[in-house]
Amino acid sequence: TGLTGDGSQLTAIPAPAALTTASGSAPSYSARAWVNFDGTGTVAIRDSGNVSSITDNGLGDYTVTLTTAMSDTNGTVVGAAVETVGSHSGGQRVVMPSFASVSTIRVGVTYQNGGGSDCPYVGIQVIR
């Protein structure tokens, strides 16, 4: 059986007040922005959420620009970078992301012993 009528009797479904995937009494927070990008050569975003662009400022130095700015810079920014996915041949790098403003994240990628490092796999997440 199909539905009949013009839908005028339907009412809007309210949005949930909190994330429904959380369990327990502690609140659940989600990523407000994220990006997976190639930091070598001409930087390129593989996929992202709430990220409009990446700027290459130099060796291992990037600026991530958010599509929608955060309300303040009190969130947490985390990241990771590796030379090769599925192999440890290139090893991990030290990633130091931080808010430069409410709409930009500055990201530094270095070798573990220091010195800038362009990496083909860089991931950044903003939690707020």
Side-chain angles (χ1 to χ4, degrees):
T1 12
L3 298 176
T4 60
D6 64 2
S8 61
Q9 301 298 316
L10 298 176
T11 59
I13 299 172
L19 296 174
T20 58
T21 58
S23 63
S25 60
S28 178
Y29 300 97
S30 60
R32 300 292 300 274
W34 64 273
V35 63
N36 174 329
F37 68 95
D38 181 345
T40 62
T42 302
V43 295
I45 296 173
R46 286 188 187 85
D47 205 354
S48 67
N50 194 28
V51 170
S52 61
S53 66
I54 303 287
T55 302
D56 188 348
N57 303 311
L59 188 61
D61 183 4
Y62 312 98
T63 299
V64 176
T65 302
L66 304 177
T67 304
T68 302
M70 299 292 109
S71 58
D72 54 43
T73 58
N74 294 331
T76 298
V77 185
V78 295
V82 293
E83 186 65 32
T84 308
V85 168
S87 169
H88 295 288
S89 62
Q92 291 185 319
R93 302 294 188 253
V94 176
V95 181
M96 298 163 291
S98 62
F99 282 102
S101 72
V102 293
S103 60
T104 57
I105 308 297
R106 195 67 181 257
V107 180
V109 179
T110 65
Y111 291 101
Q112 290 181 349
N113 61 353
S117 174
D118 283 349
C119 277
Y121 298 95
V122 182
I124 304 297
Q125 304 83 38
V126 177
I127 309 297
R128 177 76 180 92

